[in-house]
């Protein structure tokens, strides 16, 4: 009997051929925890704005693994010692870095599960897989947690210029059609090196870094923080909160077993045992969409109105307002809503607001280090002659209010 060939080659629209380099990686990709990522869109509800943004977290994870392979090849070429065990651990860590995302994860993190972020759930999945794979993920987990002494390895996975960002900017730009986000990830990776065990970018790559930071800022305003998709995500969060509220009041809502589990139970970080994790692993976009399709016909006015808004793209108007006017404008639209829709205590479900924050380069985080021809290591802000790069480190805030278009003439 011949054994199965697990060293597969996959075709990717961004990079061409992607290879799965080891049998362990193949087995992890085949695992039901990872296969679930096929059923979760990478950009959540952004496809309501950009119809092409239908790619999945499965795509992204494989792309990150491919970027990590390229980075390791470059570092090997530059005589950076990385053992076979470390190499595989890097591939595992980056492959699984987003495995903890739920469907429309940012909406989920503020409604169905409480005070636990997807990074923490990713670690729980990795630990469960490590148990199942008899400790073969231990080194990957140490690197992922930042406990491994070779600092550049965690920087390849999570930093201001990591393999995660290398893939998602290029991939999300491709699928959304927002060309401004199309970075030259190949050149950026060719320019990386390691100095004193820290990840650096060689000086001749500085212009690529500048382009990368500008692209990140533009992608945030045009895609990730697009007011319509952010408004839709907040709307979904309100729907899930309402569904949970009704369920806890004893009202039966049609939903999948996995979704019902989270509607019926208050799930905190401390509650994430194996049973909770396995229920979470059964959740994907299909659970949410199927529930919304049913809930749009529910007798509860709030649940049906909001669910219909998502299912049939009758999205709320999202109005940008001045910070100083935010409170008064919110109160104004809430009064209008109470009058037009004949509601009172539920008005927070129909009129709500938030602020957007865009900061392409965080001065409080690990810097992007430039390795100069004089063998000095300096922050990219010091190395760059672009004044506007310093401006990218200043956070920019935009305040907005969402309300049904039917309550007021959109201005």
């Amino acid at each position: 009997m011949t054994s199965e060939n697990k060293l597969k080659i996959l075709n990717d629209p961004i990079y061409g051929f992607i290879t799965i380099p080891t049998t362990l990686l193949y087995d992890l990709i085949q695992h039901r925890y990872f296969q679930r990522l096929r059923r979760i869109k990478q950009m959540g509800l952004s496809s309501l704005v950009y119809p092409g943004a239908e790619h999945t977290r499965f795509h992204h994870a494989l792309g990150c693994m491919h970027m990590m392979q390229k980075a390791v090849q470059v570092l090997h070429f530059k005589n950076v010692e990385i053992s076979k065990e470390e190499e595989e651990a890097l591939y595992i860590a980056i492959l699984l870095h987003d495995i903890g995302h739920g469907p429309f994860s940012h909406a989920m993190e503020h409604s169905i599960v409480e005070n636990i972020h997807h990074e923490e759930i990713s670690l729980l999945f990795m630990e469960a897989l490590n148990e199942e794979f008899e400790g073969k993920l231990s080194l990957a987990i140490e690197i992922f947690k930042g406990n491994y002494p070779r600092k550049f390895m965690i920087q390849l996975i999570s930093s201001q210029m990591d393999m995660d960002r290398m893939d998602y900017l290029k991939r999300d730009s491709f699928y959304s059609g927002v060309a401004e986000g199309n970075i030259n990830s190949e050149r950026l990776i060719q320019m990386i090196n390691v100095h004193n065990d820290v990840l650096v970018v060689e000086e001749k790559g500085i212009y690529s870094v500048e382009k990368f930071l500008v692209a990140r800022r533009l992608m945030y305003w045009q895609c990730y923080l697009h007011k319509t998709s952010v408004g839709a995500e907040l709307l979904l969060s309100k729907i899930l909160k309402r569904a949970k509220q009704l369920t806890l009041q004893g009202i039966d809502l049609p939903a999948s077993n996995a979704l019902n589990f989270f509607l019926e139970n208050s799930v905190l970080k401390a509650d994430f045992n194996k049973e909770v994790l396995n229920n979470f692993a059964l959740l994907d976009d299909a659970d949410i969409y199927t529930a919304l399709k049913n809930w749009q016909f529910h007798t509860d006015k709030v649940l049906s109105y909001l669910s219909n808004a998502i299912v049939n793209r009758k999205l709320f108007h999202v109005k940008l307002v001045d910070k100083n006017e935010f409170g008064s404008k919110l109160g104004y639209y809430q009064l209008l809503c109470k009058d037009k829709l004949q509601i009172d205590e539920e008005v927070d479900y129909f009129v709500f607001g938030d602020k957007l924050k865009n900061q392409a380069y965080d001065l409080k985080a690990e810097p992007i280090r430039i390795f100069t021809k004089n063998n000095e290591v300096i922050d990219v802000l010091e190395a760059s002659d672009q004044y506007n790069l310093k401006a990218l480190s200043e956070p920019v805030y935009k305040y907005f209010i969402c309300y049904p278009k039917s309550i007021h003439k959109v201005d």
Side-chain angles (χ1 to χ4, degrees):
M1 182 177 176
T2 57
S3 60
E4 182 185 1
N5 174 26
K6 296 181 177 181
L7 304 179
K8 301 289 187 183
I9 297 174
L10 309 174
N11 202 346
D12 180 75
I14 311 293
Y15 310 119
F17 293 117
I18 289 177
T19 59
I20 301 174
T22 71
T23 56
L24 176 56
L25 283 158
Y26 175 85
D27 289 337
L28 288 169
I29 290 168
Q30 287 294 90
H31 196 279
R32 62 190 175 88
Y33 285 170
F34 190 82
Q35 287 291 315
R36 155 185 169 274
L37 299 181
R38 289 182 183 272
R39 304 186 298 277
I40 297 178
K41 279 194 276 192
Q42 170 72 10
M43 292 179 68
L45 290 167
S46 291
S47 60
L48 293 174
V49 178
Y50 299 106
E54 295 278 352
H55 56 301
T56 66
R57 294 201 178 275
F58 184 85
H59 282 147
H60 168 58
L62 291 175
C64 289
M65 182 185 71
H66 178 73
M67 290 286 94
M68 186 66 81
Q69 286 174 269
K70 294 293 184 187
V72 168
Q73 286 170 13
V74 167
L75 293 177
H76 274 317
F77 181 75
K78 295 177 180 179
N79 298 316
V80 177
E81 286 189 19
I82 301 172
S83 70
K84 284 290 181 187
E85 293 75 21
E86 289 171 330
E87 186 176 332
E88 185 175 58
L90 283 169
Y91 300 155
I92 292 169
I94 197 67
L95 182 76
L96 303 180
H97 79 285
D98 268 352
I99 199 171
H101 271 292
F104 314 103
S105 68
H106 301 298
M108 289 280 293
E109 285 170 9
H110 297 103
S111 52
I112 293 293
V113 294
E114 300 167 48
N115 299 318
I116 181 165
H117 297 293
H118 68 267
E119 294 93 346
E120 296 169 298
I121 301 174
S122 291
L123 184 56
L124 293 172
F125 272 123
M126 290 169 77
E127 287 169 345
L129 286 166
N130 195 35
E131 191 178 325
E132 191 174 326
F133 282 84
E134 301 175 336
K136 291 178 183 175
L137 281 69
S138 296
L139 181 55
I141 289 170
E142 286 303 292
I143 294 171
F144 183 80
K145 290 163 69 174
N147 294 339
Y148 196 61
R150 306 195 71 187
K151 191 174 180 181
F152 76 91
M153 292 192 175
I154 183 58
Q155 291 170 328
L156 286 168
I157 294 160
S158 179
S159 67
Q160 296 207 68
M161 208 184 82
D162 54 31
M163 298 307 109
D164 176 31
R165 295 181 188 193
M166 290 284 183
D167 181 78
Y168 78 63
L169 286 173
K170 196 171 183 69
R171 188 170 300 277
D172 296 350
S173 167
F174 176 86
Y175 280 99
S176 65
V178 178
E180 288 81 359
N182 186 17
I183 60 167
N184 190 348
S185 52
E186 291 80 4
R187 176 161 175 81
L188 279 165
I189 289 174
Q190 285 296 325
M191 293 298 107
I192 65 170
N193 208 331
V194 172
H195 180 74
N196 291 336
D197 223 35
V198 171
L199 194 68
V200 295
V201 179
E202 292 165 3
E203 188 174 7
K204 57 190 173 183
I206 191 166
Y207 303 121
S208 298
V209 177
E210 290 173 355
K211 167 71 164 58
F212 165 81
L213 291 173
V214 171
R216 188 163 185 267
R217 176 183 180 276
L218 295 175
M219 278 297 284
Y220 266 82
W221 281 140
Q222 290 189 243
C223 279
Y224 313 128
L225 299 179
H226 190 290
K227 64 189 182 86
T228 304
S229 54
V230 170
E233 189 177 280
L234 280 175
L235 194 58
L236 179 58
S237 181
K238 295 285 183 183
I239 294 168
L240 294 172
K241 279 186 178 177
R242 182 63 170 183
K244 191 159 191 170
Q245 181 187 25
L246 295 173
T247 302
L248 294 176
Q249 289 173 5
I251 297 170
D252 187 40
L253 297 180
S256 68
N257 292 338
L259 182 54
N260 259 327
F261 177 87
F262 289 95
L263 293 176
E264 292 167 0
N265 296 284
S266 179
V267 180
L268 301 166
K269 182 180 178 181
D271 303 317
F272 253 82
N273 55 26
K274 196 69 178 284
E275 181 200 4
V276 174
L277 193 67
N278 281 327
N279 273 290
F280 189 85
L282 293 171
L283 277 177
D284 56 47
D285 289 4
D287 295 81
I288 307 299
Y289 274 124
T290 303
L292 294 178
K293 283 166 65 181
N294 286 310
W295 294 347
Q296 67 180 319
F297 305 111
H298 199 270
T299 52
D300 180 73
K301 182 177 180 178
V302 176
L303 191 66
S304 60
Y305 190 103
L306 301 185
S307 297
N308 178 55
I310 294 281
V311 172
N312 298 304
R313 205 188 179 280
K314 295 179 179 177
L315 301 178
F316 286 14
H317 183 59
V318 183
K319 182 178 178 65
L320 294 175
V321 296
D322 185 79
K323 176 184 177 180
N324 298 322
E325 294 182 322
F326 181 79
S328 60
K329 289 279 188 183
L330 189 66
Y332 167 70
Y333 288 115
Q334 286 182 338
L335 283 173
L336 272 178
C337 191
K338 285 180 181 180
D339 180 51
K340 290 289 179 71
L341 298 183
Q342 297 298 297
I343 55 170
D344 190 16
E345 68 272 10
E346 298 101 350
V347 71
D348 287 345
Y349 283 105
F350 293 88
V351 181
F352 44 88
D354 205 347
K355 66 179 177 182
L356 306 172
K357 177 186 176 184
N358 192 349
Q359 187 177 17
Y361 188 68
D362 189 351
L363 293 176
K364 294 178 182 176
E366 279 272 336
I368 296 175
R369 296 177 174 90
I370 302 298
F371 188 56
T372 71
K373 291 168 185 172
N374 299 325
N375 293 338
E376 292 179 315
V377 177
I378 56 177
D379 191 313
V380 66
L381 291 190
E382 295 176 51
S384 173
D385 58 5
Q386 284 291 316
Y387 178 74
N388 69 335
L389 208 59
K390 291 180 175 61
L392 296 182
S393 65
E394 294 293 326
V396 178
Y397 296 95
K398 289 183 182 179
Y399 291 78
F400 66 93
I401 294 169
C402 304
Y403 57 85
K405 291 177 181 176
S406 59
I407 72 165
H408 185 61
K409 178 186 172 187
V410 175
D411 50 7

